[in-house]
Amino acid sequence: MRTIRTVAELRAALAEPRRGGKTIGLVPTMGSLHDGHLALIRAARDAADHVVVSLFVNPAQFNDSADLAAYPRDEHRDAGLAHEAGADLLFAPSTDEIYPPGFTTQVRVAGPLTETLEGAHRGADHFHGVTTVVTKLLNMVGPDVALFGQKDAQQALVIQRLAADLDLPARIEVVPTVREPDGLALSSRNVRLDPQDRRRALALSAALRAAESELREHGTTDAEALSAAARAAMTPFDVEPEYLALVDPEDLRPVGSVDQDTLLAVAAHVGPVRLIDNTILTPNGGAER
Ligand code: AMP
């Protein structure tokens, strides 16, 4: 697996597989790879002939400079893991390569998709940073398929909207959330949790499981009651949700009742880290992770 730093080298490296009729898959990441990222790379292997993993900690999507400064980075380790998982190319550009002097363009998805939930709490600029860099990466790589995690459900929706609205040719695929055995959703930020906060971090998945079982065991569909059950499950962990919301999984508008598939999304600060998680509640008794 080659590591490439510039757009020119990237295009040159992709010319041959493209000429040979190979399909190209792109997995955008901010590095510090874990099994969630590796699941995306493996899914890309299944979906395409040639897999590009991008590694770029995108300053434009951080609303908190301390979070950006503390973001874990280990390119050498990432390169080994990406290679093992089946990546053909690692694209690890500098910030200047992505945002050269004079850069002023922003790509924005407007409305509730970027203004609610994460957008309401981190600021919509977070998603404008994401959509700008993802548009650039899609233009640089020109993939047939790009893969994103359900862990960042709102981000996946925003990117699907972006691709549809701008007629971007890549197919957008969403891969299920990978979790630790105890339920914690894998995240690059988990390494910053001390042992006590690591235990407290289970509050998020506990909230999701509580709402799922309230729906499944008691047939409760009222959104307020499900939300109350989820919030109550967080209390023993001494964790307050920043938001916990039941929303339509397509347009993110709040729902009053779980009559069809509903996205339950939660965010919370645990020690120095802000964590997010989500599940799809399905009214016929099942629940997807
Ligand atoms: P990040 O490096 O955090 O920007 O994440 C890169 C991609 O990996 C995004 O599409 C995320 O949604 C996805 N991802 C992050 N954590 C997980 C996880 N636990 N399971 C599945 N996908 C994930």
Side-chain angles (χ1 to χ4, degrees), residues 28-31 34 36-37 40 71 148-149 151-152 155 176-178 186:
T29 82
M30 297 203 299
H34 52 62
H37 298 112
L40 265 63
Y71 202 82
F148 296 86
K151 159 77 174 13
D152 299 277
Q155 171 175 280
T177 301
V178 178
L186 297 187

Side-chain angles (χ1 to χ4, degrees), residues 1-208:
M1 188 195 68
R2 275 176 72 194
T3 297
I4 278 181
R5 308 267 166 214
T6 68
V7 179
E9 282 177 287
L10 175 69
R11 292 214 164 111
L14 291 173
E16 194 195 305
R18 192 166 274 128
R19 252 196 321 271
K22 290 192 171 171
T23 57
I24 296 170
L26 169 65
V27 178
T29 82
M30 297 203 299
S32 197
L33 300 186
H34 52 62
D35 281 345
H37 298 112
L38 302 186
L40 265 63
I41 298 172
R42 289 190 201 103
R45 263 269 63 99
D46 291 343
D49 302 320
H50 199 82
V51 174
V52 180
V53 174
S54 64
L55 191 174
F56 179 62
V57 182
N58 177 29
Q61 72 190 70
F62 282 79
N63 55 313
D64 174 354
S65 56
D67 188 29
L68 174 61
Y71 202 82
R73 297 162 204 244
D74 189 344
E75 185 187 310
H76 182 70
R77 178 179 167 276
D78 288 344
L81 290 171
H83 171 67
E84 273 171 41
D88 296 291
L89 269 186
L90 183 69
F91 177 51
S94 67
T95 304
D96 264 8
E97 184 68 12
I98 299 291
Y99 303 116
F103 183 91
T104 51
T105 301
Q106 219 184 29
V107 181
R108 294 175 169 224
V109 171
L113 282 190
T114 56
E115 289 166 3
T116 60
L117 306 177
E118 287 299 285
H121 291 271
R122 299 183 72 173
D125 271 349
H126 161 65
F127 285 118
H128 304 333
V130 170
T131 46
T132 301
V133 83
V134 168
T135 303
K136 285 174 66 75
L137 290 168
L138 290 171
N139 283 334
M140 290 166 180
V141 174
D144 297 274
V145 56
L147 298 97
F148 296 86
Q150 175 66 18
K151 159 77 174 13
D152 299 277
Q154 186 174 9
Q155 171 175 280
L157 273 181
V158 168
I159 288 165
Q160 283 169 329
R161 188 77 257 156
L162 166 79
D165 287 358
L166 294 188
D167 307 297
L168 302 178
R171 196 168 79 244
I172 306 299
E173 278 192 14
V174 182
V175 175
T177 301
V178 178
R179 298 177 179 281
E180 298 283 4
D182 64 6
L184 178 67
L186 297 187
S187 161
S188 304
R189 293 182 174 88
N190 291 351
V191 297
R192 297 179 54 213
L193 297 166
D194 70 20
Q196 192 194 348
D197 287 334
R198 171 64 182 77
R199 264 176 269 127
R200 296 178 61 228
L202 288 176
L204 286 86
S205 53
L208 305 180

